[in-house]
Amino acid sequence: MPSAAMWLDGLVSRSGGKRFNFIVALRAALGSALRPRTTHRVARAIPEAGKRTPHVTLVGAGPGDPDLLTVAAARAISQAEVILYDHLVGPGILALAQPRVELICVGKRSGRHSHSQEAINALIEEQARSGRRIVRLKGGDPMIFGRAGEEIEHLERVGISVSVIPGITAALGCASSAGLSLTKRGVSRAVTFVTAHAREGDATEPDWARLADPKGTLAIYMGREAARRVGRGLTAGGLSPDTPVLAVENGCRPDERHHRTTLGAMAERGVAAGDGPTLLLLDERAAHAGDAFSAGGHVGQGLGHD
């Protein structure tokens, strides 16, 4: 659908050479009104070298396959002088960086020693003040379970500007790779993203009864270690123990694997996944999802993707 600005340009071009001053003025005013709002948050590229005030570009690396990066994300990675990246960012994505880039791993991994969020915030701030091009690279989409909000709040509080390049979040990538429509008409009227990983020291349980919607699709991030707890909570909340569950391990990577079970079996035994990041998809169609898509990591496989 054409934008309002394009429509106004069309009016000017069809005017037969006559000057419609009010259209020209409106076109200019519209562009002026929209431009700051767009560039304030959503990045098109890293700021030019001549504009080296402290700035950080938060970049979504997508679910793992470099082919699923946005054009803006690939450009930002190739322009960066410092990249602070998470564990879930694959080597194929980091390979897009220039040879002399400084790579700093600041990822958090369950059950392993990792940086605290406060330490990550301080390190990003320190690097931003160096005047170099800084990219904070996060797996999936930085604004979905990526703690981007905490980093943005810290940086803006200390006077450092931030822009964001969104990425494909894991639920979308894994569902596409498995051939599972998250919102099939007449079957699933909603899709819910929820994380099974609670903040350290937070013993609060999700509202399982609210999440147990048999007419919706549930995508549970970081679900492997909490699989038993999730299964017990959702069955207690009202979902049938026979509800199919598809666990997608290492989604959209060459070593992607699908593990099928039911909610009741998961409540007793968890999921038979390895130690890779695992997303749980609960849907009545999950029992057969992926049958036409062999495990292997490319969203386009089986569809003529080469």
Side-chain angles (χ1 to χ4, degrees), residues 5 7 61 69 75 87 156 176 179 220 255 263 267 285 293 301:
W7 177 76
L69 286 170
R75 182 186 302 120
H87 282 290
E156 292 193 336
S176 297
I220 303 174
D255 56 349
L263 197 57
R285 296 150 292 144
F293 291 68
Q301 64 187 23

Side-chain angles (χ1 to χ4, degrees), residues 112-133:
R112 304 185 187 184
H113 174 74
S114 58
H115 297 75
S116 68
Q117 187 60 54
E118 291 74 18
I120 293 173
N121 293 346
L123 184 56
I124 298 172
E125 176 188 349
E126 177 187 351
Q127 293 297 325
R129 295 195 186 282
S130 71
R132 294 183 291 176
R133 296 188 179 99

Side-chain angles (χ1 to χ4, degrees), residues 53-262:
T53 55
H55 180 85
V56 173
T57 305
L58 285 177
V59 177
D65 187 344
D67 287 349
L68 298 181
L69 286 170
T70 65
V71 173
R75 182 186 302 120
I77 293 168
S78 68
Q79 292 175 344
E81 294 170 295
V82 180
I83 298 177
L84 301 101
Y85 67 97
D86 287 343
H87 282 290
L88 296 181
V89 175
I93 292 173
L94 293 176
L96 299 175
Q98 57 182 317
R100 296 182 181 179
V101 68
E102 182 177 357
L103 299 174
I104 304 174
C105 182
V106 294
K108 303 168 77 67
R109 300 189 72 175
S110 178
R112 304 185 187 184
H113 174 74
S114 58
H115 297 75
S116 68
Q117 187 60 54
E118 291 74 18
I120 293 173
N121 293 346
L123 184 56
I124 298 172
E125 176 188 349
E126 177 187 351
Q127 293 297 325
R129 295 195 186 282
S130 71
R132 294 183 291 176
R133 296 188 179 99
I134 309 300
V135 161
R136 173 69 172 103
L137 190 59
K138 291 174 171 286
D141 183 277
M143 307 302 249
I144 297 182
F145 305 128
R147 305 192 185 190
E150 297 174 49
E151 295 175 7
I152 291 172
E153 289 173 5
H154 172 81
L155 292 169
E156 292 193 336
R157 187 166 55 246
V158 298
I160 296 174
S161 62
V162 183
S163 55
V164 181
I165 297 175
I168 295 175
T169 189
L172 303 183
C174 290
S176 297
S177 185
L180 176 65
S181 173
L182 293 175
T183 55
K184 187 174 181 180
R185 185 171 58 176
V187 178
S188 179
R189 63 186 178 187
V191 58
T192 302
F193 296 169
V194 61
T195 176
H197 180 71
R199 187 172 183 172
E200 186 175 351
D202 184 1
T204 305
E205 285 289 297
D207 186 346
W208 298 115
R210 184 181 65 82
L211 294 172
D213 179 7
K215 295 184 178 180
T217 302
L218 191 58
I220 303 174
Y221 287 66
M222 296 170 277
R224 185 188 70 251
E225 294 186 1
R228 289 185 178 88
R229 179 170 58 86
V230 170
R232 291 192 295 266
L234 289 172
T235 51
L239 274 185
S240 168
D242 296 328
T243 301
V245 179
L246 176 65
V248 182
E249 179 187 1
N250 296 320
C252 301
R253 296 174 182 240
D255 56 349
E256 176 180 316
R257 294 293 179 268
H258 297 166
H259 311 272
R260 294 177 181 79
T261 184
T262 64

